[in-house]
Amino acid sequence: MEKKKNRSSLVIAAAVLCCVLAGCGQDARENGSPSEPDAYERGYDLPVDPVEQEEASRDCGEMMKAICAIYEEADKGTAVNAVISQETAETMQQAVGEKGVPAVLSGFEGNMLNYEKIDQFLKDASEGRNSETILYRIHTDGTVSREKFTYDGQNMYSFYTKADWSDSLEPVCGSGSYARLNEWSYTDKGWFCYEYCTAKPPELTEVIDAYEMVRVMPLPEEYRKMQESWLMPVGYQGNNLFSLEWSEENMEQLDYNGLFEYFYQMEYGERIDEEHYAAGIPGGEFEDLMTKYLPVTEEQLREYASYDAESGRYHWVRLGVGNYAPNAFWVSVPEVTGIRENEDGTVTLTVDVVCEQKGNDDFYTHEVTLRILDDGEAQYLSNDILDDRPGMIPDYQYRCG
């Protein structure tokens, strides 16, 4: 899902914020406040060493040049802002990784290349040893960012720089942002979770979500393929397929109307035309899609889903105000941690919920059972929540009344 592909936009937002604050901070220092010690106490808008900035700009420029030919030939869509395909992003990642540096895609797709350097850095930091490392990200707009992490034996710091393309396809690097990490951890599963120090109210009018998560240790390819094929296209936002206990014998509470757009995109490889379905979804089209991906009958759908018998259409409205309350959980991503083949030929995936806005790589665990069909497609058969911690899963709002 697109939201899942733009997770590292939080880093970009933090960088932009810090750059703005940096300019304001310089003016303030010239007028006597705040002082440099004050900045270090707060942890953000830290003074940037010109030598560090020059090195970061040079490194970013080198990586941008390594992907320039790929970017130039890539289909970047028709939007005002360029958007590259997953395949193109992976090709760029390979080009950067060939430089021998850790490289990752923004979002949660794909394994980190040259992850050993980040792994060793975090192990050293966890044991209190001074260390530093650099991580490069390939972004969905076809650009590269560089983030240098430094641990001084007590605190960890981030120096973030991002390059953009000029009209003549030359890399242009802006001023970097330098901040202390408010907290960080390296989990047993291999996630680097951290939170930037940022300005808070009343300095800002709202709280900034400053968490970031990067998977360092690679997932087995079979696990990643399963989650990218059958879990991430559905996710937890706008439907309750993975946040509700259900089985073939108990399917009444599934939000079929909400699921339609996710199954549609899986089936046709494109987002639904919202205007086309503003008056509802034709019964046959809705039922064909639902019965393909779920063990449900047409009769059950007309009973369980929001259906207008007079028009023969199922109701559909876009996700928005009135049927969606923002919550950290809904923008979490599913991660496969185990695969079990059952005697009846079905497959059960053990799935951890990774919640970036909470810096948590196992918000809760559930099991999804699938029947993999001969044509490579799959049908969802059940979802079992293994550790339903009270209050962890927020109340679900159905798409249609």
Side-chain angles (χ1 to χ4, degrees):
M1 293 189 298
E2 193 61 31
K3 281 186 178 288
K4 309 302 184 294
K5 292 182 179 178
N6 291 300
R7 273 298 170 208
S8 59
S9 61
L10 295 174
V11 179
I12 301 170
V16 171
L17 170 69
C18 291
C19 289
V20 172
L21 291 174
C24 297
Q26 180 63 38
D27 292 341
R29 284 191 291 274
E30 291 173 355
N31 288 289
S33 82
S35 66
E36 186 170 305
D38 290 338
Y40 275 97
E41 179 66 25
R42 292 194 313 267
Y44 61 91
D45 186 22
L46 301 182
V48 174
D49 183 339
V51 175
E52 285 278 358
Q53 178 64 71
E54 182 180 354
E55 179 185 23
S57 297
R58 183 175 62 250
D59 288 351
C60 258
E62 179 184 352
M63 300 307 165
M64 290 283 278
K65 289 178 181 177
I67 67 170
C68 184
I70 303 170
Y71 179 81
E72 187 173 15
E73 297 176 3
D75 179 2
K76 294 176 276 292
T78 57
V80 175
N81 298 317
V83 178
I84 60 174
S85 68
Q86 177 73 14
E87 183 179 358
T88 298
E90 291 172 356
T91 303
M92 290 180 172
Q93 183 192 18
Q94 288 292 333
V96 172
E98 287 174 2
K99 300 287 186 180
V101 298
V104 69
L105 301 178
S106 64
F108 292 102
E109 287 87 354
N111 287 327
M112 181 184 294
L113 300 181
N114 303 314
Y115 69 90
E116 296 88 351
K117 295 184 178 182
I118 304 290
D119 175 58
Q120 188 60 55
F121 161 75
L122 291 168
K123 287 177 178 176
D124 287 341
S126 297
E127 295 176 3
R129 293 194 292 270
N130 292 17
S131 188
E132 65 180 35
T133 192
I134 296 174
L135 175 64
Y136 292 90
R137 286 183 180 84
I138 309 302
H139 296 274
T140 56
D141 61 354
T143 59
V144 176
S145 66
R146 172 192 187 270
E147 189 162 15
K148 182 176 181 179
F149 296 98
T150 305
Y151 184 72
D152 64 4
Q154 182 176 1
N155 293 305
M156 190 176 292
Y157 295 86
S158 161
F159 182 51
Y160 181 91
T161 306
K162 186 174 185 295
D164 291 304
W165 294 110
S166 70
D167 292 339
S168 58
L169 289 185
E170 290 294 325
V172 178
C173 298
S175 299
S177 63
Y178 187 31
R180 187 177 73 246
L181 301 189
N182 184 49
E183 60 180 48
W184 66 274
S185 64
Y186 189 34
T187 72
D188 292 339
K189 288 169 54 184
W191 282 91
F192 178 25
C193 311
Y194 53 98
E195 181 188 22
Y196 299 99
C197 289
T198 62
K200 293 178 171 54
E203 187 173 351
L204 294 179
T205 58
E206 60 183 28
V207 176
I208 294 177
D209 177 13
Y211 275 106
E212 179 76 11
M213 295 181 67
V214 182
R215 174 167 262 290
V216 178
M217 300 304 291
L219 272 180
E221 191 58 34
E222 184 182 13
Y223 289 15
R224 187 169 290 282
K225 183 178 179 180
M226 280 291 189
Q227 74 186 38
E228 291 181 356
S229 296
W230 307 116
L231 301 178
M232 294 183 74
V234 178
Y236 303 97
Q237 187 179 58
N239 73 87
N240 61 356
L241 189 69
F242 302 143
S243 59
L244 174 74
E245 284 256 2
W246 65 272
S247 64
E248 294 183 65
E249 295 75 31
N250 179 26
M251 303 185 67
E252 294 89 343
Q253 295 182 23
L254 281 174
D255 185 0
Y256 298 96
N257 302 75
L259 272 170
F260 177 78
E261 66 180 271
Y262 302 98
F263 287 167
Y264 183 97
Q265 187 161 349
M266 288 173 62
E267 182 73 9
Y268 301 109
E270 60 184 18
R271 298 174 65 88
I272 66 172
D273 183 338
E274 295 181 0
E275 292 185 5
H276 180 71
Y277 294 108
I281 307 162
E285 182 178 353
F286 185 92
E287 291 159 5
D288 285 347
L289 196 61
M290 288 297 148
T291 55
K292 175 176 180 178
Y293 287 100
L294 293 168
V296 65
T297 66
E298 296 176 2
E299 291 75 16
Q300 287 174 318
L301 286 170
R302 295 179 187 185
E303 178 183 355
Y304 302 155
S306 183
Y307 175 68
D308 181 8
E310 184 175 345
S311 66
R313 290 176 174 265
Y314 290 83
H315 300 122
W316 186 84
V317 292
R318 66 184 298 272
L319 193 66
V321 178
N323 59 36
Y324 176 70
N327 183 285
F329 168 74
W330 302 126
V331 292
S332 300
V333 296
E335 179 176 78
V336 174
T337 59
I339 298 177
R340 182 175 72 249
E341 296 184 2
N342 304 311
E343 292 182 358
D344 62 359
T346 62
V347 174
T348 297
L349 310 179
T350 302
V351 183
D352 281 352
V353 179
V354 177
C355 184
E356 184 176 44
Q357 291 185 16
K358 296 292 185 181
N360 192 324
D361 69 351
D362 62 346
F363 201 65
Y364 74 83
T365 302
H366 59 109
E367 288 187 338
V368 180
T369 297
L370 302 167
R371 178 179 291 114
I372 307 297
L373 306 177
D374 292 339
D375 59 2
E377 298 292 335
Q379 188 176 56
Y380 301 90
L381 300 180
S382 67
N383 184 61
D384 183 25
I385 298 175
L386 301 185
D387 54 352
D388 187 6
R389 309 166 199 169
M392 293 293 282
I393 304 176
D395 292 338
Y396 181 73
Q397 291 180 268
Y398 285 81
R399 187 72 65 91
C400 304

